[in-house]
């Protein structure tokens, strides 16, 4: 009986354990490889996102500077000396009946 148990252990259990260990090791290596690929992908996404945001902010700054340069070149004005009334009071206004009335179409009464 001891011989059968010994043969069972040597010829069945050891090879079975070796196969299980080999499968476990292969699965672990595949998981490790996939996790490394995922980390590399995430790192490249982060760096490309940072570069894109930096380029976008630089472009916005350049466009703003160019806009300000163009606006400052076009901003020519001259001062007109003299006094102006800033607001009209109720006493200064003309009555509505004395002001001319403008219309854009002729009105006809339809009966």
């Amino acid at each position: 009986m001891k011989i059968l148990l010994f043969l069972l252990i040597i010829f069945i259990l050891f090879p079975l354990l070796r196969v299980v260990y080999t499968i476990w090791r292969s699965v672990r290596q595949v998981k490790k490889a996939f996790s490394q690929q995922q980390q590399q992908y995430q790192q490249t996404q982060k760096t490309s996102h940072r570069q894109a945001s930096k380029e976008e902010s630089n472009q916005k700054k350049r466009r703003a500077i160019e806009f300000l340069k163009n606006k400052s070149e076009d901003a020519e004005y001259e001062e007109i000396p003299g006094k102006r009334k800033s607001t009209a009071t109720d006493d200064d206004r003309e009555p509505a009946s004395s002001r001319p009335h403008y219309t854009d179409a002729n009105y006809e009464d339809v009966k």
Side-chain angles (χ1 to χ4, degrees):
M1 187 69 163
K2 289 182 182 182
I3 294 175
L4 284 174
L5 185 64
F6 182 72
L7 291 175
L8 176 75
I9 291 173
I10 290 177
F11 290 110
I12 295 179
L13 290 179
F14 279 141
L16 185 64
L17 289 176
R18 286 182 68 194
V19 168
V20 169
Y21 177 73
T22 305
I23 292 172
W24 175 78
R25 192 174 66 200
S26 300
V27 168
R28 197 179 96 200
Q29 287 177 348
V30 169
K31 284 183 180 180
K32 189 175 179 180
F34 274 106
S35 67
Q36 286 176 347
Q37 289 292 326
Q38 184 179 13
Q39 287 174 355
Q40 288 176 354
Y41 177 76
Q42 288 173 350
Q43 288 174 350
T44 56
Q45 288 297 322
K46 287 179 183 178
T47 56
S48 65
H49 180 69
R50 286 183 198 146
Q51 289 174 350
S53 64
K54 284 181 183 179
E55 289 176 8
E56 185 177 332
S57 65
N58 288 339
Q59 287 177 353
K60 285 181 182 179
K61 288 177 185 177
R62 273 189 258 125
R63 278 188 260 140
I65 290 171
E66 289 176 10
F67 177 76
L68 291 174
K69 284 181 182 178
N70 292 340
K71 278 296 189 184
S72 63
E73 291 172 2
D74 294 342
E76 295 179 10
Y77 66 93
E78 65 179 67
E79 277 193 43
I80 301 173
K83 293 184 180 180
R84 280 181 28 184
K85 287 186 180 179
S86 60
T87 58
T89 61
D90 290 337
D91 297 335
D92 296 339
R93 293 186 181 172
E94 299 175 13
S97 60
S98 66
R99 283 186 269 155
H101 182 70
Y102 300 104
T103 60
D104 58 348
N106 294 332
Y107 176 77
E108 293 180 14
D109 230 358
V110 178
K111 292 183 183 183

